[in-house]
Amino acid sequence: MADALTAKGRATRARLVAGAADVLREQGVAFTTLDDIRARTGTSKSQLFHYFPDGKDELLLAVARFEADRVLEDQQPHLGQLDSWESWQQWRDVVVERYEQQGDQCPLGALFLQVGRSRPGARAIVTELMRQWQQQLADGIRALQANGLVAPDLAVDRTAAALLAGIQGGVTVMMSTGDSTHLKAALDTGIEHLRSTAVPDAAPPISGTAAAAPH
């Protein structure tokens, strides 16, 4: 339906989704009602169902897509500029900070539990998020190759996939324990692996927060 809306309609729908996302983050998916969302966004019941005819589940899927986009947006501009060791370090710190601030509450995960991960719409959102994230990591590795900082024969897509898997595993452990050690270790080990493939003198010794490697 969103594609058939006018520019004003798309703006109104986007405002509803953003407002709903804020309410869901504050109150939790299980405790949020459509009345809560209508009150926050100043939306009538008829207007809300005009944009989301299938009701709460359709709105939750829209919010899940919004939250998935936010995952990548929160890593910018660093995720899109991974062309130096400094930029990789800055990106690493942003990722750790984001998940430490989030703590054990994952809005995206909670939304998928509510609407069901097996639903085609929910699965498509997760698949696209992972595809875009892995692609941007791969683009960053290729940028390092272009700058002569890592080996030209490095398996870029496989390395990016492994790094992303490590991040997701670290976040999962962090949400269970409240400890970001595993997330930091996954990021630091992934970056250290990239550095280990560098041509001589291209990658200086690791220092700072990455060397310490203490969601």
Side-chain angles (χ1 to χ4, degrees):
M1 172 179 176
D3 294 337
L5 296 174
T6 64
K8 182 178 180 181
R10 287 193 296 272
T12 300
R13 187 179 188 278
R15 178 179 61 79
L16 290 175
V17 172
D22 288 341
V23 177
L24 290 165
R25 276 176 171 260
E26 293 171 10
Q27 299 181 192
V29 177
F31 300 102
T32 299
T33 67
L34 288 180
D35 287 340
D36 294 328
I37 294 171
R38 290 198 304 105
R40 172 67 64 88
T41 59
T43 305
S44 67
K45 186 174 182 178
S46 61
Q47 187 179 28
L48 190 149
F49 278 92
H50 170 72
Y51 291 105
F52 303 98
D54 292 336
K56 188 175 182 180
D57 277 358
E58 185 178 0
L59 176 57
L60 290 179
L61 277 176
V63 175
R65 187 172 289 105
F66 176 85
E67 290 288 1
D69 291 341
R70 184 181 287 185
V71 169
L72 299 180
E73 289 170 2
D74 286 351
Q75 298 176 52
Q76 301 297 350
H78 310 292
L79 182 59
Q81 300 174 352
L82 296 174
D83 56 359
S84 68
W85 296 122
E86 180 181 9
S87 63
W88 277 84
Q89 180 65 42
Q90 291 171 338
W91 166 75
R92 174 263 189 207
D93 292 344
V94 164
V95 172
V96 171
E97 180 180 14
R98 180 191 192 279
Y99 284 107
E100 285 183 337
Q101 290 179 347
Q102 177 178 289
D104 61 359
Q105 300 298 319
C106 177
L108 191 58
L111 285 162
F112 288 135
L113 286 175
Q114 183 74 13
V115 301
R117 292 179 184 272
S118 62
R119 286 187 56 171
R123 185 176 294 274
I125 291 170
V126 175
T127 300
E128 180 60 16
L129 168 60
M130 293 299 121
R131 186 197 68 78
Q132 290 189 34
W133 198 345
Q134 182 176 326
Q135 182 60 56
Q136 292 197 56
L137 290 173
D139 289 344
I141 296 172
R142 291 189 177 95
L144 292 178
Q145 287 178 322
N147 291 335
L149 296 175
V150 300
D153 60 349
L154 180 68
V156 173
D157 292 327
R158 185 169 182 270
T159 301
L163 182 54
L164 179 55
I167 294 170
Q168 292 302 300
V171 170
T172 298
V173 173
M174 182 178 178
M175 290 182 62
S176 300
T177 66
D179 187 350
S180 62
T181 297
H182 297 81
L183 174 60
K184 292 175 180 177
L187 284 161
D188 294 338
T189 300
I191 295 174
E192 287 168 4
H193 170 67
L194 290 175
R195 286 177 176 270
S196 71
T197 73
V199 296
D201 301 326
I206 301 173
S207 60
T209 55
H215 148 47

